Amino acid sequence: MANPGSEDDTPTIKMDEPESRADGDGVSGLEQSREMTPPPLPPRPTTANLGLLDDRPTTADMGSLKLPKRTSRPHLQSQATTALSLTDIQIQSRGESASINSSPVSRDPSQKRSISRFGRFVNSSEDDSASTRSYAPTLDVPYDNVSMLGDEPSPAWKALNSQLDIDESLQLDEAFEDPLSERITLEFDDLEVRAGNGSNETVLLDQWSAKLKHFFVLSASGKPVYSRHGDDHLVSHYVGVAQTLISFYQGANDPLKTFTAGDTRFVMLAKGPLNLVAVSKIGESEAQLRNQLESLYMQVLSTLSLPSLEKIFSNRPSTDLRRPLQGTDVLLDGLSDGFTRGSPSTLLSSLECLRLRKTHRRIINDSLLKVRSPDLLYGLIVAAGRLVSVVRPKKHSLHPGDLHLIFNMLFEAGSVKAGGGENWIPLCLPGFNNTGFLYMYVSFLSPAEAAAVASSPVTAERPRTASDTEHTPSSDDLAIVFISPNKDAFYSLRSMRDSLITSLAQSKMLAALAAAMDAGRAPCSSILPGGTPLKHFLYKSRGNVQFTMPSFEPHFAGPIARRKLMTLYAHLHEVVHVRNSHLKVLHAVSREATALAWVTPVFELYCVAGPGVARQTVTQAANKVVQWIRKEEERVFIIGGAVF
Amino acid sequence: MSDSPAPSAPKPSSSVKLVLLGEAAVGKSSLVLRFVNDAFEPNKEPTIGAAFLTQKCNLPNRTIKFEIWDTAGQERFASLAPMYYRNAQSALVVYDITKASSLVKAKHWIAELQRQASPGIVIALVGNKLDLVEDEEEGEAQEGEGEGEGEEDGKVRRVSTKEGKDYADEENLLFFETSAKSGHNVNEVFTAIANAIPETSLKGPRGGAGGATQAALGSGAQDNSRVNLNANADAGPKEGCAC
Ligand SMILES: Nc1nc2c(ncn2[C@@H]2O[C@H](COP(=O)(O)OP(=O)(O)OP(=O)(O)O)[C@@H](O)[C@H]2O)c(=O)[nH]1
Ligand SMILES: [Mg+2]
């Protein structure tokens, strides 16, 4: 442990802002950030601002649920604490929404007109005002609803409205009963194989259009680079339309960012020589889809690095990028499907850690530092897809977007893991430095294999001999990931792994890890004993850029239930992240669920309870979660990590 | 990397570095998976970078421990290949017998190895996916047309056994046609390589196959008689590698 000092002072993993990831060149994220703990600590600017929120949280912005013991804090502005009134929602919102136009450029009237042709919100000014009216009496925060209702409802309001049932609650029913979610089970099936004579074209097209989500990457000249579903032949027509639209607006210096048609949202992202398009029927917001596209773009950069991407196109603008990207479909598919399936990690742009005793984590960190190879830049220990420990130089943080790419490669795409053995992978981590390559040593070990490594002297027999190859890598494996700028560092990192495993075995930490992995995520009911009404929650520590959650079991085990839950979380997330929203606490009710979102500069908390649960009850449960986190913080989050 | 006596085996043991090269999707990883785990995956994903695996190969008088670099065949990784073949004592260059371009690529790799790798490197040329053409008469490549049921998948032989073998003979390479899917000839390839490693390049007290030179092995290459050329003729797949 680099800093056993007070928790207020402990350096965080230091991940810099997702916002800066794609365009920063050179080394980024060097600034030191400080750990934050939940309120009521003194406020500080957060370094993990997601970029979707209002610029700088201040004390006045800091939210806190109105609990008896904290109502005496006069400096907490009442607007943040009034959410316990009998409102379904309260919002302070001004002007622009991230959902319609996200750049000043696109505020141009012509843009609005053009978008309104597709818009499903725009033609319903009557509905808008009606629903606004139904909310107006319950909104007890001073906000400029007059101007919002002026000549034209503001985009923010319209965007928000899209989340609201005209009746009395958030659109939770749709989130929970949404027949689209049922289709998630077919979403990842491949299309039928195209018949040689094209006779099954219609079938293919039907299957293709039934997909809930599409992602496309096109070169600026309109060549398809990637499509999640369908072959070139099938998508070429659509890609052509998309390209025409994009270049029409680019020609007018007014880039098309998003539009909706019926229930389908289209989002475009122009990145250098590439255009990326997301098409979603599952009610995600523009900002969420844009993040997903950013992530796909980061994957492309990670494969090629920015200079070589630019060089490819400056040499020949009509280059077919499929060739240099050959074989990365699995990575892009992995990302896409993760987004479609709905993962808390991507929704919250943060990572989950393995819950581990603080002393154990410290021993593991110390081991990492002790055996560190001079070739090492970053090291990660990942257990069952959750972070155990991070080792990094003092002046370099780990970018969450980069970590997401690594996790996707290791745990979603599967090609690395399926290979067994060890891997040596060149990759660009665009958040760290989008101009060059790093080299990643990856070793997956089952606890038994780890024991075998530990029991044999360094550089002696590898564990993976015929006798123990029956084990196929599973998500229960330990992944050791060491990243180096030196392409010849494989053997030195490999012996670092051997030393690490030996050291962890000696300190009994392998057993501790195996136990923690076996334990898995605790269900809500055991985290919050005494009959909590909560079925699930997500808690993100913004300072640490990490989140924690209980098990999806028993309520959300299957893919449909999980997608519905994630849709609900996405709705909550969107509403509290509408640009310039000062919304801090959101209550939402429906026939099937009661939900709460609570955002402060320190954390984001999303809670879901069964239907008909009183707000007060949910609120109390939410506070229990916060109390639990406060107690468990150093178990559920990596605070500081191993820094050298 | 360096020799180390196997703790439990009485026989001398040596490490041999082996690198797999070849066009994308010819089945390099599948051959390794068959050799190391005796398994096959119908839809194996492309390798990213390179995978490092080890597997022992028991010869009658010694144990060879292969340290295998399974490289990615995609072009963007090509520039990294020297890192993997630099100190390799052996190389397995793979092509897909149903894809003519993959033999062209294989020849490029072989030329590069002959230019750049260590001089004594033992090279095996392997035509993989033999199972796809099992029903066919072997011997003649069916140029272009693609007949019968093979047409739809394009799964017809495009490289004849003779073409591969003649080239291997010219260049003094070991030669096999294999199927990672059925396992046909897979262990034989590795056993033959183990046997062909010159004694002098092994640090163990005793040589491997006892002086069978690469040239001799290469010129005698026959599909199924391959393994019988050596002193350990009766060391079939079961007693040979992947034990
Ligand atoms: N029928 C058949 N298919 C095979 C055989 N060997 C490999 N394949 C298939 O061919 C595809 C590619 O195999 P890989 O082992 O991944 O090929 P690779 O050479 O490692 O490819 P890269 O890692 O991209 O260089 C996979 O779908 C395999 O299942 C074989 O002997 N017979
Ligand atoms: Mg491979």
Side-chain angles (χ1 to χ4, degrees):
Chain A
M1 193 75 177
N3 190 345
S6 82
E7 62 179 13
D8 299 12
D9 251 351
T10 312
T12 69
I13 295 188
K14 283 203 312 186
M15 299 161 170
D16 59 33
E17 304 180 21
E19 202 173 30
S20 66
R21 62 190 172 197
D23 1 79
D25 56 348
V27 174
S28 61
L30 304 179
E31 84 284 357
Q32 185 90 20
S33 71
R34 296 272 147 187
E35 164 47 5
M36 298 194 51
T37 47
L41 287 179
R44 54 173 288 279
T46 171
T47 53
N49 191 322
L50 282 178
L52 302 173
L53 289 168
D54 204 4
D55 326 323
R56 259 329 119 185
T58 63
T59 312
D61 289 331
M62 189 155 151
S64 152
L65 284 194
K66 201 182 237 169
L67 275 184
K69 64 175 179 186
R70 254 183 270 147
T71 46
S72 61
R73 298 175 61 87
H75 62 281
L76 289 179
Q77 214 177 49
S78 64
Q79 78 177 52
T81 64
T82 47
L84 294 184
S85 62
L86 296 178
T87 65
D88 291 302
I89 178 171
Q90 35 174 300
I91 182 168
Q92 179 169 2
S93 177
R94 12 181 131 98
E96 287 307 307
S97 124
S99 303
I100 300 291
N101 299 314
S102 63
S103 82
V105 172
S106 58
R107 238 180 275 158
D108 182 273
S110 69
Q111 171 73 2
K112 269 188 184 154
R113 271 197 303 279
S114 55
I115 282 174
S116 67
R117 277 185 231 126
F118 301 100
R120 65 167 161 152
F121 312 135
V122 183
N123 57 359
S124 56
S125 57
E126 199 180 304
D127 289 354
D128 284 333
S129 47
S131 55
T132 305
R133 249 179 269 118
S134 75
Y135 280 98
T138 69
L139 290 163
D140 54 359
V141 194
Y143 76 107
D144 51 352
N145 60 345
V146 177
S147 71
M148 280 173 63
L149 293 173
D151 33 72
E152 190 191 3
S154 83
W157 184 248
K158 282 178 282 181
L160 181 61
N161 232 1
S162 74
Q163 308 305 325
L164 299 176
D165 200 311
I166 295 305
D167 288 331
E168 289 201 22
S169 71
L170 263 180
Q171 209 169 347
L172 288 184
D173 292 325
E174 193 159 307
F176 264 70
E177 287 158 15
D178 166 18
L180 287 178
S181 290
E182 314 277 340
R183 288 190 356 221
I184 196 78
T185 47
L186 302 174
E187 178 72 9
F188 309 113
D189 293 351
D190 287 340
L191 303 189
E192 227 170 72
V193 175
R194 173 178 299 276
N197 53 10
S199 57
N200 60 349
E201 183 81 25
T202 343
V203 180
L204 286 181
L205 210 57
D206 284 350
Q207 290 177 348
W208 186 79
S209 341
K211 297 297 181 191
L212 300 172
K213 267 181 98 165
H214 289 276
F215 289 99
F216 304 101
V217 181
L218 339 173
S219 71
S221 66
K223 278 224 170 81
V225 173
Y226 169 76
S227 163
R228 173 60 188 92
H229 304 291
D231 56 15
D232 272 6
H233 190 77
L234 198 62
V235 304
S236 60
H237 174 66
Y238 299 88
V239 166
V241 172
Q243 178 63 17
T244 309
L245 276 170
I246 291 168
S247 44
F248 176 81
Y249 286 99
Q250 275 170 351
N253 242 337
D254 181 17
L256 181 58
K257 307 240 168 198
T258 183
F259 62 86
T260 58
D263 284 335
T264 308
R265 183 183 287 280
F266 295 75
V267 174
M268 285 81 175
L269 177 70
K271 281 286 180 184
L274 297 180
N275 286 312
L276 298 96
V277 182
V279 180
S280 171
K281 297 175 194 167
I282 49 182
E284 293 152 292
S285 73
E286 181 198 354
Q288 285 159 0
L289 291 168
R290 194 168 293 286
N291 269 344
Q292 298 172 10
L293 291 178
E294 292 272 4
S295 191
L296 293 181
Y297 177 66
M298 277 182 83
Q299 177 56 61
V300 173
L301 284 185
S302 173
T303 306
L304 296 174
S305 85
L306 186 60
S308 71
L309 177 66
E310 284 171 342
K311 196 164 136 239
I312 287 169
F313 283 105
S314 67
N315 289 351
R316 271 183 48 223
S318 63
T319 304
D320 185 357
L321 200 58
R322 280 179 188 252
R323 198 174 169 82
L325 285 180
Q326 193 190 25
T328 56
D329 280 17
V330 287
L331 300 176
L332 293 165
D333 287 354
L335 287 173
S336 303
D337 292 353
F339 297 141
T340 305
R341 208 174 287 122
S343 94
S345 167
T346 50
L347 180 69
L348 302 174
S349 304
S350 56
L351 285 172
E352 188 185 9
C353 298
L354 185 73
R355 190 173 163 203
L356 205 60
R357 292 177 57 171
K358 177 178 161 189
T359 48
H360 289 175
R361 209 181 307 272
R362 183 174 300 158
I363 292 169
I364 294 171
N365 285 347
D366 289 346
S367 299
L368 272 170
L369 291 171
K370 193 180 74 197
V371 302
R372 179 174 67 85
S373 149
D375 286 316
L376 187 78
L377 177 63
Y378 295 128
L380 310 171
I381 301 177
V382 187
R386 276 165 277 163
L387 211 50
V388 173
S389 182
V390 176
V391 56
R392 61 173 180 85
K394 198 173 262 155
K395 60 189 202 300
H396 292 300
S397 65
L398 259 168
H399 191 288
D402 290 342
L403 282 171
H404 183 214
L405 294 182
I406 293 172
F407 273 56
N408 177 61
M409 183 186 279
L410 300 189
F411 302 108
E412 301 288 337
S415 61
V416 174
K417 200 154 80 175
E422 298 148 73
N423 292 270
W424 188 235
I425 298 170
L427 84 174
C428 168
L429 292 179
F432 171 74
N433 177 347
N434 63 18
T435 65
F437 282 91
L438 297 170
Y439 298 84
M440 179 164 79
Y441 170 86
V442 184
S443 168
F444 281 99
L445 296 158
S446 68
E449 288 169 324
V453 173
S455 66
S456 64
V458 177
T459 76
E461 298 300 317
R462 300 271 64 78
R464 190 165 283 280
T465 55
S467 54
D468 58 7
T469 46
E470 265 134 72
H471 171 79
T472 42
S474 76
S475 60
D476 294 336
D477 278 353
L478 210 54
I480 311 283
V481 180
F482 295 146
I483 296 172
S484 172
N486 174 5
K487 76 173 156 66
D488 295 320
F490 176 83
Y491 290 105
S492 107
L493 296 181
R494 183 168 188 247
S495 65
M496 174 176 168
R497 180 207 62 172
D498 291 349
S499 316
L500 175 68
I501 296 293
T502 308
S503 159
L504 293 181
Q506 276 162 5
S507 56
K508 307 256 189 298
M509 285 303 106
L510 281 181
L513 282 174
M517 285 154 79
D518 278 349
R521 299 181 187 106
C524 241
S525 51
S526 68
I527 291 176
L528 307 166
T532 181
L534 297 188
K535 291 179 165 176
H536 200 261
F537 66 83
L538 299 179
Y539 178 102
K540 172 179 177 179
S541 162
R542 300 175 78 180
N544 289 315
V545 205
Q546 293 165 37
F547 76 94
T548 189
M549 65 178 180
S551 160
F552 283 113
E553 319 260 346
H555 304 288
F556 307 99
I560 297 171
R562 166 131 177 234
R563 178 61 249 180
K564 286 181 173 181
L565 177 67
M566 289 313 302
T567 301
L568 170 55
Y569 280 138
H571 280 301
L572 296 173
H573 183 272
E574 181 189 358
V575 175
V576 293
H577 284 86
V578 167
R579 178 166 293 218
N580 293 343
S581 163
H582 289 196
L583 179 62
K584 294 301 165 226
V585 179
L586 169 71
H587 281 275
V589 295
S590 83
R591 282 190 299 282
E592 286 197 33
T594 313
L596 170 109
W598 177 14
V599 175
T600 78
V602 174
F603 65 81
E604 296 173 24
L605 174 62
Y606 307 86
C607 298
V608 172
V613 178
R615 286 190 185 90
Q616 192 66 42
T617 314
V618 179
T619 305
Q620 275 160 8
N623 277 300
K624 285 227 179 78
V625 173
V626 174
Q627 281 161 17
W628 177 75
I629 297 283
R630 205 170 299 171
K631 189 161 58 74
E632 291 276 314
E633 183 157 42
E634 296 195 57
R635 295 183 177 184
V636 297
F637 297 128
I638 295 177
I639 297 172
V643 180
F644 59 89
Chain B
M1 296 121 282
S2 63
D3 303 348
S4 49
S8 52
K11 283 182 284 189
S13 150
S14 328
S15 295
V16 169
K17 283 183 81 177
L18 170 80
V19 62
L20 280 99
L21 296 166
E23 196 176 78
V26 295
K28 297 179 294 299
S29 303
S30 300
L31 287 168
V32 175
L33 186 65
R34 174 61 74 192
F35 176 52
V36 174
N37 280 6
D38 197 20
F40 178 77
E41 286 173 24
N43 288 307
K44 195 141 182 51
E45 289 178 355
T47 305
I48 308 172
F52 183 85
L53 300 95
T54 59
Q55 174 65 309
K56 277 188 231 161
C57 185
N58 274 329
L59 300 181
N61 52 355
R62 66 184 304 112
T63 301
I64 298 286
K65 199 181 95 196
F66 279 115
E67 298 186 344
I68 304 169
W69 276 112
D70 170 24
T71 67
Q74 279 146 17
E75 257 165 52
R76 65 173 180 284
F77 297 111
S79 61
L80 294 171
M83 207 161 93
Y84 305 114
Y85 65 63
R86 202 166 37 207
N87 297 311
Q89 290 131 294
S90 56
L92 213 158
V93 181
V94 187
Y95 65 94
D96 173 351
I97 59 169
T98 68
K99 198 171 172 213
S101 70
S102 68
L103 178 63
V104 176
K105 185 73 204 172
K107 290 179 177 177
H108 282 136
W109 281 124
I110 286 161
E112 181 166 338
L113 286 172
Q114 288 171 340
R115 258 194 339 267
Q116 321 256 38
S118 18
I121 189 168
V122 174
I123 304 175
L125 178 67
V126 169
N128 189 37
K129 307 203 184 177
L130 189 61
D131 59 284
L132 292 175
V133 300
E134 243 156 18
D135 302 336
E136 290 181 37
E137 197 79 83
E138 290 188 20
E140 289 309 304
Q142 300 169 6
E143 299 295 343
E145 295 87 50
E147 302 161 29
E149 79 267 58
E151 189 181 355
E152 195 150 300
D153 301 344
K155 299 306 184 206
V156 286
R157 184 185 271 276
R158 305 282 177 187
V159 180
S160 69
T161 306
K162 184 170 186 309
E163 187 182 357
K165 185 180 174 320
D166 286 352
Y167 174 74
D169 287 350
E170 262 166 53
E171 302 293 334
N172 286 338
L173 316 171
L174 298 168
F175 177 71
F176 290 90
E177 287 189 336
T178 60
S179 167
K181 187 172 178 183
S182 73
H184 179 77
N185 256 350
V186 175
N187 287 329
E188 284 80 349
V189 177
F190 289 89
T191 308
I193 291 176
N195 279 313
I197 300 291
E199 199 171 345
T200 49
S201 74
L202 297 175
K203 286 197 204 132
R206 295 183 55 191
T213 68
Q214 189 185 332
L217 286 163
S219 62
Q222 290 290 328
D223 241 357
N224 292 326
S225 61
R226 194 80 213 66
V227 80
N228 296 326
L229 287 175
N230 303 313
N232 58 328
D234 47 353
K238 298 295 173 288
E239 293 81 17
C241 296
C243 31

